[in-house]
């Protein structure tokens, strides 16, 4: 089967996804499928965005973690699409930043670098594409803010940790009380309202927004992806 990500790429071996001969490890096949599917989404989004014809791209990835998707995205943009890119992965964990920085040098991804910082303290960057996947606590909101402030053409965020709204649902109107009577349903209501607010904020800031499911719920319940493309024609 053809994949958006070529399994023989060296970074996948060093990240433990594949064997030295380029075969995907059976235990990592689900991860490989997730990586490949996400790159397919990125490809579709770029083709529908103002950066489709850009010769070079500036990309910021907030909450880059171990870098599976960061390396795959950089490789796809530079090797498959032929767009030289400057990409910065930002993560609060210094051990992850060191691991990814060492690997970036090893596979000679010269335009890819990593910085240790919390989302709210991330250095300012000029941004074409901002990505934040499962950035914890309020980092999703900080990432969205930085994307808007940086006039990013595209913002892709998988929201996480929607804890801010839940306490405000403690005493709803009587007509809505049943929606939050049970703890699990209360948290899900808070999740949905929070993500709707994020989408509306992006619309109000000049982005066309789509909300899609990007992984199966068997892997994570946090499978909503906000895709925002800057546009002069937004219906809020």
């Amino acid at each position: 089967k053809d994949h958006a990500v070529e399994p023989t790429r060296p970074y996948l071996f060093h990240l433990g996804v594949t064997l030295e001969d380029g075969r995907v490890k059976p235990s990592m096949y689900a991860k490989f499928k997730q990586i490949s599917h996400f790159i397919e989404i990125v490809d579709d989004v770029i083709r529908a965005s103002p950066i489709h014809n850009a010769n070079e791209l500036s990309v910021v990835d907030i909450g880059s973690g171990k870098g599976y998707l960061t390396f795959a995205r950089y490789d796809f943009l530079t090797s498959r699409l032929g767009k030289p890119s400057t990409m910065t992965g930002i993560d609060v964990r210094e051990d992850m930043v060191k691991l990814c920085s060492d690997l970036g040098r090893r596979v000679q991804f010269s335009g890819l670098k990593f910085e240790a910082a919390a989302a709210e303290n991330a250095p300012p960057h000029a941004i074409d594409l901002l990505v934040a996947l499962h950035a914890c606590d309020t980092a999703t909101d900080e990432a969205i803010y930085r994307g808007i402030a940086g006039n990013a053409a595209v913002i892709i965020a998988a929201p996480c940790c929607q804890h801010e709204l839940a306490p405000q649902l403690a005493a709803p109107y009587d007509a809505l009380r049943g929606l939050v009577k049970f703890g699990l349903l209360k948290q899900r209501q808070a999740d949905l309202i929070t993500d709707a607010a994020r989408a509306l904020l992006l619309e109000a800031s000049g982005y066309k927004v789509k909300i899609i499911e990007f992984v199966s719920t068997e892997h994570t319940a946090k499978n909503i992806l906000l895709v925002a493309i800057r546009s002069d024609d937004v219906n809020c």
Side-chain angles (χ1 to χ4, degrees), residues 62-64 90-91 119 131-143 157-162 198:
I62 292 182
S64 51
I90 295 171
D91 200 277
V131 180
L133 302 182
H134 295 150
C136 291
D137 201 10
T138 58
T140 295
D141 304 292
E142 296 287 352
C160 187
C161 299
Q162 301 96 331
R198 288 164 171 161

Side-chain angles (χ1 to χ4, degrees), residues 28-105:
M28 295 296 288
Y29 191 69
K31 172 62 73 175
F32 176 75
K33 286 180 63 179
Q34 290 176 28
I35 295 169
S36 190
H37 180 54
F38 181 76
I39 296 304
E40 290 172 356
I41 292 174
V42 170
D43 186 26
D44 289 342
V45 171
I46 287 176
R47 292 179 188 279
S49 77
I51 58 177
H52 173 54
N53 293 319
N55 293 323
E56 299 182 4
L57 293 177
S58 173
V59 185
V60 174
D61 184 347
I62 292 182
S64 51
K66 193 174 180 180
Y68 293 109
L69 296 174
T70 315
F71 280 94
R73 190 185 315 112
Y74 180 84
D75 190 37
F76 179 78
L77 293 177
T78 57
S79 299
R80 294 283 291 270
L81 296 188
K83 295 181 182 295
S85 299
T86 300
M87 186 176 300
T88 305
I90 295 171
D91 200 277
V92 71
R93 295 166 294 179
E94 293 187 4
D95 58 333
M96 291 292 100
V97 169
K98 183 180 186 307
L99 183 151
C100 291
S101 296
D102 291 345
L103 177 54
R105 288 189 290 269

